[in-house]
Amino acid sequence: MKKNLLLLFFVVLAASCGTTKTIDHKNIELSFLDDFILPENLEIEETKVGGLSGIDHYDGIYYLVCDHPGNPRFYKASIEINKKKIDTVLISEMIELDRTSKFFKNNTLDLESIRYNVEKNELVLSSEGSFNNGKDPSIFHISPNGQFLLNYSLPDYFSASGEQKPRNNGVFEGLTESLDKSGYWAGMELPLEKDGSKPKLFPTKSPVRITHFNKETGEPTRQFVMQLENITKIPWMYFAVNGLTEILEYAPSRFLVLERAFSAGHGTNGNTVRIFDVDARNASNTLNIENLRKEAYTAATKKLVFDFKSVRKQLKENIIDNLEGMTFGPDLPNGNKTLLLVSDDNFSSIGKQISQIILMEVTIKL
């Protein structure tokens, strides 16, 4: 009898874990066009190309950041698009960060996002640090050849020694330049421990902070909160996570937010990846709130605009991999924007994974 009840519980739980949100195309519509798989053993300048956790595009050049803490680096690439297909991908150059600077020596560089600063010909990077080793996260500028320029000032609740207890490998995962060019929005992957719980199979209060930093002063100026979705697949090997992996501001206080969930034990089908339309126009400024559990605030609203499970069979290897980077690319002949995403293959350290580039078409209806 107990076995039957347990089986019934898992059947009901499995049925409740599916994505029930409907796709909303009122403001923005995303359409899958193509994907491209980088060769597994591709090497550029004696480094293996992998761990690609961020991508940006400017003037025909793509910047791909690698999250290898032992050798923090980024690559320059060209991605040729022909008739809404990815024709070729050519990675042309590897740039290592110059770790002779005091800042780089004192920080663990787990790089997660990269943005090109047009006005000053600089690059802006986010790093999650290493909380298990007492190393803070960071957001900083570098020169095109990898030299440190400046870093941003972080509120105390983001520090490794702070009372809010940021989660290891769960801090600054997403980065986007604000439309007014005043600075950059940085999105957390997971909630601070005192703000809320990590997403579970059942609905939880899992708020992540998205903070705007002024690019000239390096100071935080505004912040809003977004609630993460719950886990959608039962983890058969006792590990599951869902978090924000990238953000793009496409209209004033309107964002495309990439969320990636992973449940262990499903092989190459463990990832659930979705893109949401997030509206922060009426969201509270939570910058000065130390503990989100203890104060009232208005979170940003969000609507599902794309679920990658709908195109799994169209992907070249039928795999939705660990998508972490996202950027707008060149406009299409019809005037619509392109959207390119890249996956972090973790250097295949946890099983079969691929370095995948996905091309999409964006129709903005605002």
Side-chain angles (χ1 to χ4, degrees):
M1 181 64 178
K2 288 184 179 180
K3 289 184 179 180
N4 290 336
L5 288 174
L6 185 61
L7 178 61
L8 179 61
F9 168 76
F10 277 115
V11 169
V12 172
L13 183 61
S16 68
C17 291
T19 301
T20 58
K21 289 180 176 288
T22 57
I23 304 294
D24 189 303
H25 293 317
K26 182 179 179 181
N27 300 315
I28 191 166
E29 182 175 359
L30 303 180
S31 304
F32 170 79
L33 298 179
D34 194 20
D35 75 323
F36 187 97
I37 311 300
L38 294 177
E40 183 178 356
N41 295 314
L42 177 63
E43 290 193 1
I44 302 294
E45 300 180 35
E46 299 183 347
T47 65
K48 184 176 180 180
V49 177
L52 302 177
S53 57
I55 183 172
D56 201 23
H57 169 263
Y58 177 71
D59 196 26
I61 300 175
Y62 290 85
Y63 300 88
L64 299 159
V65 72
C66 170
D67 68 356
H68 193 306
N71 185 13
R73 59 191 184 269
F74 67 93
Y75 297 92
K76 289 183 179 180
S78 63
I79 301 176
E80 299 298 327
I81 299 170
N82 184 21
K83 296 180 180 180
K84 296 189 176 184
K85 298 291 182 182
I86 299 175
D87 186 70
T88 56
V89 176
L90 177 62
I91 298 179
S92 58
E93 186 178 357
M94 183 275 295
I95 298 92
E96 294 179 326
L97 271 60
D98 181 2
R99 286 180 286 170
T100 60
S101 75
K102 181 179 179 181
F103 177 80
F104 288 164
K105 286 181 178 179
N106 293 338
N107 285 273
T108 297
L109 300 180
D110 183 3
L111 305 177
E112 295 297 344
S113 191
I114 185 168
R115 297 298 175 198
Y116 180 73
N117 183 358
V118 178
E119 291 88 349
K120 294 189 175 182
N121 186 30
E122 299 172 354
L123 292 157
V124 186
L125 300 174
S126 66
S127 169
E128 290 193 298
S130 177
F131 288 97
N132 288 344
N133 296 306
K135 298 295 185 179
D136 290 341
S138 55
I139 303 168
F140 56 91
H141 290 219
I142 61 171
S143 68
N145 62 358
Q147 293 181 319
F148 173 77
L149 297 174
L150 63 94
N151 64 290
Y152 292 172
S153 299
L154 305 182
D156 288 341
Y157 44 69
F158 289 138
S159 69
S161 59
E163 294 182 1
Q164 295 302 98
K165 296 184 179 179
R167 289 180 163 91
N168 192 61
N169 200 33
V171 197
F172 298 135
E173 186 80 17
L175 198 64
T176 183
E177 186 174 19
S178 57
L179 285 183
D180 63 8
K181 305 297 182 181
S182 65
Y184 291 87
W185 292 94
M188 295 181 63
E189 182 176 4
L190 295 171
L192 299 171
E193 285 192 15
K194 289 191 177 181
D195 282 346
S197 65
K198 293 191 294 185
K200 305 277 194 292
L201 283 165
F202 50 86
T204 58
K205 289 185 178 180
S206 301
V208 290
R209 298 175 186 249
I210 299 174
T211 310
H212 180 271
F213 294 86
N214 183 283
K215 68 169 69 172
E216 298 299 329
T217 66
E219 296 292 331
T221 61
R222 187 173 182 267
Q223 183 185 91
F224 68 90
V225 165
M226 185 200 80
Q227 295 288 337
L228 293 172
E229 301 299 299
N230 61 292
I231 303 296
T232 62
K233 297 178 180 179
I234 296 173
W236 299 119
M237 295 176 67
Y238 310 108
F239 176 77
V241 66
N242 180 52
L244 177 155
T245 60
E246 194 56 282
I247 55 177
L248 283 174
E249 188 174 16
Y250 72 89
S253 296
R254 307 290 291 272
F255 300 83
L256 289 179
V257 174
L258 183 67
E259 287 190 35
R260 179 262 297 118
F262 174 75
S263 294
H266 293 268
T268 58
N269 294 317
N271 289 303
T272 299
V273 183
R274 294 165 288 187
I275 300 177
F276 294 87
D277 178 13
V278 173
D279 186 347
R281 289 175 296 179
N282 297 316
S284 303
N285 184 355
T286 56
L287 187 61
N288 295 321
I289 297 179
E290 292 291 321
N291 188 330
L292 295 177
R293 293 182 192 265
K294 294 185 177 181
E295 294 193 40
Y297 62 90
T298 301
T301 60
K302 62 188 293 195
K303 295 179 180 179
L304 180 65
V305 291
F306 197 84
D307 190 331
F308 281 90
K309 74 176 182 179
S310 66
V311 297
R312 179 189 295 277
K313 293 182 179 179
Q314 300 177 52
L315 300 173
K316 288 185 172 59
E317 295 196 20
N318 302 130
I319 296 174
I320 303 167
D321 216 300
N322 182 32
L323 294 170
E324 291 196 357
M326 184 168 65
T327 184
F328 290 120
D331 291 348
L332 294 168
N334 63 9
N336 287 342
K337 291 182 178 296
T338 56
L339 184 73
L340 289 99
L341 301 98
V342 67
S343 68
D344 175 0
D345 70 346
N346 294 303
F347 294 97
S348 297
S349 61
I350 55 175
K352 177 179 172 57
Q353 289 190 263
I354 55 178
S355 293
Q356 177 182 44
I357 297 172
I358 290 180
L359 173 66
M360 305 185 76
E361 180 174 356
V362 183
T363 305
I364 297 176
K365 304 176 182 181
L366 297 177

